[in-house]
Structure formats: C-alpha cells, structure tokens
Amino acid sequence: MSETTPEITPEIIAEHGISKDEYQKILEILDGRTPNRTELGIFSVMWSEHCSYKSSKKWLKTLPTEGPQVICGPGENAGIVDIGDGQAAVFKMESHNHPSYIEPYQGAATGVGGILRDVFTMGARPVCNLNALRFGSPDHPKTRHLVSGVVAGIGGYGNCVGVPTVGGECDFHESYNGNILVNAMTVGIADTDKIFYSAASGAGNPIVYVGSKTGRDGIHGATMASAEFSEDNEEKRPTVQVGDPFTEKLLIEACMELMATDMIVGIQDMGAAGLTSSSFEMASKGGMGVELDLDQVPQREADMTAYEMMLSESQERMLMVLKPGREDEARKIFEKWELDFAVVGHLTDSGHMVLRHKGEIVADLPIDPLALASPEYDRPWVATPDPAPLNVDDVPAPNDPMAALNTLVGCPDLASKRWIWEQYDHMVMGDTIGIGRPGGADAALVRVHGTKKALAVTSDCTPRYCKAKPNEGGRQVVAEAWRNLTATGATPLAITDNMNFGNPEKPEIMGQFVGCIEGMREACLALDFPVVSGNVSLYNETNGQAILPTPTIGAVGLLVDASKAVGLGFTATDETLILIGETEGHLGQSLYLREVLGREEGPPPHVDLATERKNGDLVRAVIQGRLASACHDIAGGGLLVTVTEMAMSTGIGAEITVDTQGVPVHGWLYGEDQGRYVVATSNPDAVMAMAMAAGVRAQILGRTGGDAIALSSGESMPLASLKSTNEGWLPAYMAG
C-alpha cells in the first residue's frame, strides 16, 4: 500500500488498537476524510493508552501537584523541585514492562536510556538512577532468565553511560509470571535559571533532529505497551528498541554544551511514539504548526516509509527548535560529539502537521484536535470488597521465633539483593555517600556536587497491601516512601509515581486503580508530598491474569547538611534502641503470615496519616539534632526483621527487651503496624524527652552489642547465621 492510498479496512483499524468510536472521532477531526496509513498510525500511537492516559486522566487530575517547593509539576518531560541555592532536582519514573518481558536485556536497557533523556532534556545533568523490579514466582521457568537479562540490561546501560544506579527494590510474586515490571527512575540537578521546556514557538524557526539515526526498531512500541499479552509475545520482538549507552553519553554532553548557549527555543526527547509524539507535543504546547521533510531524517535503513519513520522508537534521539540562523553553530557542537544533526523542518502558524516525503505530502493533520481531543474515558469501576478482619489471636505463633526470623530474612522479598546491585556501578561520579549506598540506608544518598547538600532518593510499593485494600495500600505506599527519606534525616520534597495495573476495561481492575489513587491523594495532602511527574502502565496481564496492583512511588528528599545523615546499620556497641510509634501487632497481609504460615489474607495495616506525620517529624528532628547514630523504618517482616537488618548491615548484634505491653508476642515481633521506626542512640534520655514533648509513643527496645540477635526471653541466633541466610538466597537461586 502506498503512503497516500486510503485503503483503510476495519482489520487495519483494529490492528492499530483503535476502537470503532475512536475511528468515528478521527473521521470527524478530518472532516469526513479517510486517513491514509501514515495518518492512521499517528492517531494510533498518540491515542494509545501509553501516550494519551485515556483511562487514567480523570483520576490523575485529582492528585495534589503543587507546593512551595514545586517548580514544575506533571505535563513536562520530568518534574522539578527547588533544593535551594538556585538549584533544582529534576526527576521522573517510567515503565518498560512489556518490552522487558519480551526482550529482557534491551527492554530494561532502553528503559534506562529513555528516563535519562526525560531528565537531561530539561537541562539537568543526571546524578543517579533507581529501579523497581517485580518478577514472577522463583519457581516459574522464565523467572531466572528474566532476572538475569533485566539486571544485565540495567547495569549495562547505566554503567556505560556513567550515571550511578544507587537504589531500588526487587520483589517476587506469581502474579508477575507472565508480565514482569521494570520501572526506571532518574534524578538530575539543574540550575533554576537554566531549565528547558518543550513548548515550541516562533513560526519559521528550524526544527532540528539530533542523536542516532532512525531505524525500524520500536515501531508500534507504544501500541504494544497498551495491550494485554497473549501467547504470541515472542512475535513482538520487533517492537522492542535497541539501545546504545555510548551514544547516549555523547548526547548528554552535546545537549549540555548546547544548553550552555542561548540557541534553544524548545527541546523534547523522542520517547514512546518517537518523532510523532515529540513533534506533536512541542507544537501543541506552543500552539504552533509543524512542517517536516522526512527525506532529511537521518536513516539507518534503506527505503524507510513515512509510516516507519514517524512511528519508529529508535533510541538516543532528540528533537529541538532553535533560534533562526543558529543552525551552523549548533551543528558544530553535535558534529564534534560525532552525532547526527539535521534540520528536518520548521514551525508554522497553521496549527497543522504537514509531512513531506519524496516530494509528496504524505500526511496533513490538525495538531490540537489530535493532541487535545484524545479520548478520555470514565471507565466503569467497582470498589474492591474489604477483606475479612484477621485478629492477631487467630494467627498461630511460631514454635521457634528465631526459626521464623531465619525464614523471613531468607525469603525472596527480604533476601539481600547484593547479587543485583553489585552489577551496578553505584559510585561513578563520586557523589554517592557511603552510608547511602545500596543496603546502607532506607534511601540512597547522593551529594549535590560541590556543596554540603545531599539528595535522598527511594522507590517503594507494597502490592499485597494494594490488592487487599487499594485505598489503604495507596496511603501506605506514599507514607512508606516518606518514611524512607525521613529515616535518613532528609526532608521529603515530592514524588513521582508509576501506576502499574491490569486491564482498565475490567471494572474490578479499574476499581483498584481508583482506590489506590484516592489513598495516594490523601497521603500526599497529609504529608505535603506532591506528585510532580509520573507514568501509567496498564494492561499488565497475560491471558486474563492481572498483576497485583503496583503503584510504585519514587521519592526525593533534601539534606541541607549531608553530614547529619544516618544509615540503618548500628555503628557502636552498648547503644540504646528506641522504638518510635505504636505497636498493635497487625498481621493481616504480613510477610510472617505469607512466608511462615503460607497464608495471604486479612486487611493490610491501617495508616494513620496524622500519626505518621507526627512520628516522622520527631524522627527527623532527632537525626538533625545528631541524637541518632542509626535509624530504620519498620516495614515488611516487622520489628524483629528491622532490628536484624540493622545488625546485619554492620555486623553488630542486639538484644531486644520483650515488653509487648499486652500485644501477643508474635504480633509484637512480626506485626507490620505502620508509622514506626527503630532508632539507635547514645542519649536515650534526650530522645525519650523529645518524644514525650511531641506526644509520640516511644519505648526502650534494647541495646546494641554482641554477635547475635537475642531476645530477653532467652531465644537467640548468631548474626553470622542470619546473614548467611539473607545473603545466600539470591546467588544460590541464580546459580541454579
């Protein structure tokens, strides 16, 4: 079929993921004219779930996005928050789930490349990467292969491009057997007076393409990411892009050099839907039209059609609008860095995108109707029914509390992920702070170069809570990220979200999404923790089996004085351990229930946001007052696991005084009540006095020292044995 032949059949429309109603809307926009294949392809990617957020926009609009610290919220390539001294942190999280399942190495690698471009497009130099990974059951035949490929892809790209990978998480659950999650986050630093936006302006201004050549990889990647998987996953390999981190490094440096001049009017990376989305978004935000000559697009392959060029998702490419007459200056910069540079068109005041190829007009589309009239669905939804209550007295206690502890620290979710992060260069650039390396603190710590400031960065989600009670799970995931930053001494600033869910056309899945958003909104408001960027990944299911609802939260906080930060590991013997927060022994949806007893039931723990705020503010004050030598928030596995993790981090043991204050012992040891921390201090009187003054529940928990984890009731286990279990699971699994 030629580019302009209007042979558009119902089958071709369906292949492009366009519904009958959407096609009727397309005909209205085109005044009844049938689109040609190139135009249909452009509509299909721009109106895909991945690019248009058509099922989620209604609910995303309810999230709080403003605050005194926010410079730029959602709508740009990345969010921006003020960190003082004329500097800003720029960050975002993106998913590359479907590509990583089909081709794990390139899927994960190009996910890292794409999120890096989102950040440096804004004028920020990337300073760190994080990733949040979810794999299927360890005994599923594909899991080991997927873990190996994804980790190699993340490490291969991040290490080569020279940006440290400093944190993240990795969990396993059978719901991800057919649909893994790979969420990548990048944080960068920019000067507040040197931030670049994507809106294009100035009729006649040149449109410039820079970076790598365009090939046939990634065509229909956005459409593929907006559909359920089935048995033909292997056939979708051509929609996975191929990344080149060395070119990305050159692109970063060339863009930074260009950004030091005054040549740029607008700039946008070519992410999902490539040349189509980048040109449309720039023109739409600026109220402009675009004329592109596709013969000028640098091409890697022969005889590429307009359709292929507009839909290709080849990596390491950017589109920019320059001031007129500056093309040759800019070209010299990119040629110096051995990158392609081509003037591919210009802005117009027509409000249309006009594409020329081989001397013919091959597409003519109105920009705003297409970009702004993308469908917005109010999908039917049903609330997730509340799970039956689960009383701590109805949950059996372990025969041996130390055997239960050993099971927990060696379970896939809690086992050390050293095997993963040792493949990542987390020290390149020289600003990763020692205690903030992977495994050293609740959040990674990266110094703001040349200052005494540091950023604390984390990623978190507890999908089992979100499945059981989405609203509570949504509150918890925001609170947990806030807590991770707080536990280092950092002031939480803002979050980016990555909403990973199943098929939104199923009311029960849409109900999970709505519930999680409502809970997140409540927590963001209560904790002054706005959402500044994010990503939605829907249709994460295979053959009708959906993943657990997984609204991953990436969060950034600020330490004005990095020397005050603390890690989670004990630093001295004979220090006092203090438990901050109230323990009721909540075991519903706990890891104790799942890993020790083989049960997944009950409601998740309640998140009291007012108490959460009060407890966290106290902990931060204790750390900032240099009264804590270590701090760790209590999460999966409960109190006993938390103290054990603190001890394993540095090799100093602890004795816990079992004073349950009426709570059943196993609920006290393994319960996952929220808003709690363990603090190590050499000045317990001062900390207890601060807690009393703040109206915060605090309890002396025990002391550091020895080479075991010991309970005052007599049970103990050598730290070396626990550490061996904790460190041993993943290497043994991957070697198997």
Side-chain angles (χ1 to χ4, degrees), residues 647-663:
M648 290 190 299
S649 179
T650 50
I652 297 171
E655 180 171 341
I656 297 170
T657 303
V658 181
D659 178 8
T660 68
Q661 301 181 2
V663 175

Side-chain angles (χ1 to χ4, degrees), residues 71-83:
I71 294 173
C72 177
E76 274 292 340
N77 287 296
I80 310 175
V81 293
D82 197 321
I83 59 170

Side-chain angles (χ1 to χ4, degrees), residues 1-8 16 33-42 216 294-295 303-311 355-358 360-364:
M1 183 191 298
S2 78
E3 291 297 325
T4 52
T5 307
E7 295 177 22
I8 300 299
H16 282 76
R33 173 173 71 82
T34 301
N36 63 39
R37 190 162 179 265
T38 298
E39 292 171 330
L40 187 74
I42 288 171
R216 290 189 171 96
L294 298 182
D295 295 333
D303 302 319
M304 289 191 72
T305 64
Y307 180 95
E308 290 170 332
M309 280 186 269
M310 292 305 291
L311 270 60
L355 303 181
R356 296 181 188 275
H357 189 222
K358 297 182 178 175
E360 290 183 22
I361 291 178
V362 293
D364 185 347

